[in-house]
Amino acid sequence: VPDVDPLTPCQGQSVAFDANVTLQAPSVVLASGWDVDGNLVPDYVGSTANHTYNTAGSYNAIFAVVATGNCTTTVTVPITVNPKPVMSYTGPDDKCGVDVFLTSNGQVAAPASMDSYEWYLTGGTGIGTGQNFAHIFAANPFQQVTGYVVGTSSDGCADTASFSINLQPTPAANFQIDDCIGLSIPFNNTTTWVGTPPPGAGINYNWAFGDGQTGNTQEPTHVYPEPGEYTVTVIAIYSAFGFSD
């Protein structure tokens, strides 16, 4: 009596073969073995074997036993090997701040289809489900977070793709002024950061004073020669990754 577990394995999964042979005395077993792909060529000698099917498809596993008098008995067990999906993480790798939109891609051979996606941090903590989803990481910027996404097909076969994201500090640009026409006006740069950029990280500031003049110092001064209303803009740039506000 042959036993095969599982009968519907996933591509790349190990399958256990076992057969229990019972003969009436005085017959004895002279030889036995498994042909796991049905090509009539023995693959394993003996009643037990373990085999991995690396290609999806239908197979006929044949167990053959030769007893006294060269009496041969065979038993055929049909096996269906389901295709394994192929998962990939599609981004991002660098992110300004801690709120991240994670994206992935899963593919599997028809007629199977992708059924579910589960996201985990390294260590196994689940953080969400879905092919793509938004997540706010419980970590300060300028840290690296790692994890993986598991995609499962309609046949129950799964594949994993890992991810690594560098969370970078994000600026919130702002400034204050005390206005007075014809005088040198100092601009107090009050930009704040979500996370602290490291020393020498390349923090730049681009100013537009609304009268056609610009500046690139952290706290500039500027003289307006005419009265009026001016729109002043400062852009804080984390040049190491091009993040700005």
Side-chain angles (χ1 to χ4, degrees):
V1 179
D3 178 58
V4 178
D5 184 34
L7 287 173
T8 57
C10 295
Q11 182 180 355
Q13 180 181 359
S14 179
V15 179
F17 296 86
D18 190 11
N20 181 23
V21 180
T22 302
L23 298 176
Q24 292 183 347
S27 295
V28 295
V29 174
L30 300 179
S32 64
W34 283 95
D35 165 19
V36 296
D37 50 17
N39 63 359
L40 303 182
V41 176
D43 298 298
Y44 300 95
V45 176
S47 60
T48 61
N50 285 279
H51 182 75
T52 299
Y53 291 93
N54 293 316
T55 303
S58 297
Y59 299 87
N60 286 320
I62 302 172
F63 176 71
V65 58
V66 180
T68 303
N70 288 327
C71 295
T72 302
T73 299
T74 61
V75 178
T76 300
V77 181
I79 297 175
T80 300
V81 180
N82 295 312
K84 181 181 179 179
V86 177
M87 283 296 301
S88 61
Y89 171 72
T90 54
D93 297 320
D94 295 291
K95 180 64 175 63
C96 184
V98 294
D99 54 326
V100 182
F101 188 69
L102 299 155
T103 62
S104 68
N105 183 48
Q107 296 181 335
V108 65
S113 60
M114 296 304 299
D115 183 63
S116 65
Y117 301 83
E118 297 179 335
W119 296 79
Y120 299 88
L121 294 177
T122 298
T125 301
I127 58 174
T129 60
Q131 182 177 356
N132 309 311
F133 84 109
H135 181 71
I136 298 177
F137 285 97
N140 293 323
F142 210 74
Q143 291 192 20
Q144 184 184 61
V145 293
T146 60
Y148 54 94
V149 55
V150 179
T152 305
S153 72
S154 54
D155 292 322
C157 300
D159 189 35
T160 300
S162 61
F163 66 82
S164 176
I165 307 172
N166 294 310
L167 301 179
Q168 305 297 338
T170 179
N174 201 1
F175 64 90
Q176 294 177 338
I177 62 169
D178 294 321
D179 55 342
C180 189
I181 300 169
L183 296 179
S184 180
I185 301 174
F187 288 81
N188 181 22
N189 192 332
T190 59
T191 297
T192 58
W193 293 82
V194 179
T196 303
I203 306 303
N204 299 315
Y205 297 94
N206 291 339
W207 295 81
F209 299 109
D211 60 354
Q213 301 299 310
T214 60
N216 57 15
T217 59
Q218 182 173 350
E219 294 192 326
T221 59
H222 185 69
V223 176
Y224 288 96
E226 301 291 338
E229 183 176 313
Y230 300 90
T231 299
V232 180
T233 303
V234 59
I235 300 176
I237 303 171
Y238 182 22
S239 59
F241 290 90
F243 301 138
S244 63
D245 185 52

